[in-house]
C-alpha cells in the first residue's frame, strides 16, 4: 500500500494507492524550513492519519516530495516525522522539483518549472535532475510565483501605479492601508504567504490590461532568469506544475512562445501523476 505526497509551502497533496483504488487527501504544507519535526507529526496525525481508511501500520511505502527538501538534513527531519507516524513503511523523501519532473516527464528528458506559492526549475535527464536554477526562496528569488505576483500587486497599489478602478476595488476588497500592510510584511511571520494571497486579485481581474501586463512581466522575469539559463532551452520541451502555472496557463504560453520556447504539460497537482510513476 503506497502513500505519495507532493508538499509545497502552502499545502500538501496526498494519494493513498493500492492495487484497486487511489484515494486523495490534503493537509497544509510541510516545508521543514517552516515547521519543526513535532509540528509535522501533529499535522500528520490530526489531518491525515485520522482520515485514512487503514491503520498507519498498513502503509508499506511512502514517497514524499517536498519544498524545502533540497538538503539532506531537512530530508532527514521530514523522514523522522514520517517514521514516527508510519513505523512499518519504507520511506523516501525527495525535493519537490524531482517530483514535478517525474510527474511531467516520466522517463523522458525535459525542463520542469514549479510556479506555486514559490518557484523553481530544473533540467531532468529522464532519471534525475542534473541542474536546478531557482528555488532561492521569497527574499532572494521566487520570480513568477504567487508570492512574487502578490508582492507586485501590493507594490503597484502602494506606489499608485495601479489604475484608479483597480485601486478602488483593491481597497474595497482588503480594507488595508499602508500601516496594516507594513505590519503584516515586516513584523509578522509567513509574510510570503500573506503577500501570495493577493495573487487572487490578479485572477479576479485577469482581463484587465494592467493585470495582464503585470503577469507577463512576472512570468517573463522567471523565464529569463531561470529557463533561458539552460543550454538547450529552445530545443527542450518546458513543463509547468503548480496552481499559478495552471491558472495562468494562457499568459505563460504567450510569454514562452515569444522566447521560442516549446511548452508541454501544465499540471495543477503532480501527486496524481506520481501515482502512475510509482505503481
Amino acid at each position: 500500500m503506497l502513500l505519495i505526497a507532493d508538499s509545497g509551502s502552502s499545502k500538501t497533496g496526498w494519494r493513498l494507492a493500492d492495487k484497486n483504488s487511489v484515494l486523495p487527501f490534503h493537509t497544509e504544507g510541510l516545508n521543514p524550513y517552516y515547521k519543526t519535526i513535532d509540528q509535522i507529526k501533529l499535522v500528520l496525525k490530526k489531518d491525515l492519519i485520522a482520515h485514512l481508511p487503514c491503520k498507519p501500520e498498513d502503509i508499506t511505502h511512502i514517497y514524499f516530495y517536498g519544498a524545502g527538501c533540497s538538503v539532506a538534513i531537512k530530508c532527514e527531519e521530514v523522514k523522522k516525522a514520517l517514521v514516527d507516524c508510519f513505523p512499518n513503511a519504507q520511506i523516501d523523501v525527495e525535493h519537490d522539483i524531482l517530483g514535478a519532473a517525474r510527474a511531467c516527464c516520466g522517463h523522458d528528458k525535459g525542463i520542469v518549472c514549479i510556479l506555486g506559492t514559490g518557484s523553481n526549475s530544473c533540467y531532468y535527464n529522464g532519471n534525475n535532475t542534473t541542474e536546478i536554477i531557482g528555488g532561492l526562496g521569497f527574499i532572494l528569488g521566487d520570480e513568477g510565483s504567487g508570492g512574487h505576483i502578490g508582492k507586485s500587486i501590493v507594490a503597484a497599489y502602494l506606489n499608485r501605479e495601479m489604475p484608479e478602478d483597480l485601486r478602488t476595488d483593491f481597497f474595497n476588497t482588503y480594507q488595508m492601508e499602508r500601516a496594516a500592510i507594513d505590519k503584516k510584511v515586516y513584523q509578522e511571520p509567513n509574510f510570503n504567504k500573506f503577500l501570495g494571497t493577493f495573487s487572487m486579485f490578479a485572477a479576479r481581474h485577469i482581463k484587465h490590461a494592467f493585470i495582464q501586463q503585470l503577469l507577463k512581466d512576472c512570468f517573463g522575469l522567471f523565464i529569463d532568469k531561470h529557463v533561458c539559463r539552460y543550454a538547450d532551452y529552445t530545443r527542450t520541451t518546458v513543463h509547468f506544475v503548480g496552481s499559478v502555472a495552471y491558472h495562468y496557463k494562457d499568459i505563460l504560453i504567450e510569454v514562452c512562445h515569444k522566447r521560442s520556447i516549446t511548452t508541454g504539460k501544465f499540471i495543477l497537482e503532480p501527486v496524481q501523476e506520481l501515482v502512475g510513476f510509482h505503481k
Side-chain angles (χ1 to χ4, degrees):
M1 184 171 285
L2 305 181
L3 188 60
I4 302 172
D6 174 62
S7 180
S9 295
S10 298
K11 64 181 183 298
T12 302
W14 298 85
R15 294 295 185 274
L16 179 67
D18 61 19
K19 293 180 179 179
N20 301 314
S21 64
V22 178
L23 298 177
F25 301 90
H26 288 85
T27 67
E28 61 188 273
L30 300 176
N31 189 324
Y33 281 97
Y34 301 143
K35 280 185 167 53
T36 66
I37 294 172
D38 286 340
Q39 288 172 330
I40 293 173
K41 286 165 60 176
L42 181 62
V43 172
L44 291 172
K45 291 177 180 178
K46 181 171 66 75
D47 297 332
L48 179 63
I49 292 174
H51 302 284
L52 293 177
C54 62
K55 297 177 181 179
E57 292 82 5
D58 295 334
I59 305 298
T60 57
H61 291 80
I62 297 176
Y63 298 96
F64 184 97
Y65 298 93
C69 295
S70 57
V71 295
I73 189 171
K74 292 301 178 183
C75 290
E76 284 302 314
E77 289 176 11
V78 174
K79 187 171 183 177
K80 186 177 188 321
L82 289 166
V83 166
D84 288 349
C85 293
F86 300 95
N88 295 332
Q90 178 181 319
I91 298 171
D92 292 325
V93 177
E94 301 282 359
H95 197 196
D96 64 341
I97 194 69
L98 178 60
R102 287 175 169 175
C104 288
C105 302
H107 295 288
D108 298 324
K109 71 175 184 178
I111 294 170
V112 179
C113 305
I114 295 176
L115 291 178
T117 303
S119 67
N120 206 348
S121 73
C122 75
Y123 186 91
Y124 178 69
N125 66 5
N127 287 309
N128 294 298
T129 57
T130 59
E131 293 181 79
I132 296 177
I133 303 176
L136 300 181
F138 185 79
I139 293 175
L140 295 179
D142 274 356
E143 295 85 2
S145 68
H148 180 222
I149 292 168
K151 178 176 70 172
S152 300
I153 287 172
V154 172
Y157 171 76
L158 294 176
N159 287 330
R160 296 185 177 274
E161 298 170 356
M162 191 179 282
E164 197 58 37
D165 58 331
L166 291 179
R167 280 182 54 80
T168 299
D169 188 60
F170 184 95
F171 180 77
N172 290 338
T173 300
Y174 300 109
Q175 296 289 313
M176 297 185 77
E177 297 286 3
R178 176 162 185 166
I181 293 173
D182 284 350
K183 182 179 179 181
K184 285 281 189 181
V185 172
Y186 296 108
Q187 298 180 24
E188 297 184 12
N190 299 320
F191 62 89
N192 59 324
K193 292 183 182 179
F194 165 72
L195 289 171
T197 62
F198 293 101
S199 65
M200 296 303 297
F201 187 79
R204 261 180 47 199
H205 295 281
I206 188 62
K207 294 184 178 181
H208 197 291
F210 179 86
I211 294 298
Q212 290 219 350
Q213 188 59 53
L214 182 145
L215 290 170
K216 289 176 184 177
D217 291 343
C218 289
F219 294 144
L221 192 60
F222 173 80
I223 297 298
D224 292 340
K225 289 176 70 70
H226 301 84
V227 176
C228 293
R229 303 296 183 189
Y230 296 105
D232 295 330
Y233 78 93
T234 59
R235 296 186 295 276
T236 306
T237 302
V238 180
H239 307 276
F240 294 88
V241 305
S243 57
V244 171
Y246 185 82
H247 292 299
Y248 297 124
K249 173 182 175 180
D250 291 342
I251 294 177
L252 257 174
I253 289 174
E254 181 182 343
V255 169
C256 286
H257 286 184
K258 284 187 176 180
R259 291 160 173 80
S260 300
I261 292 170
T262 301
T263 54
K265 293 182 180 179
F266 285 77
I267 299 175
L268 179 61
E269 290 189 277
V271 66
Q272 187 64 37
E273 302 294 328
L274 287 168
V275 173
F277 183 87
H278 285 292
K279 285 188 73 173

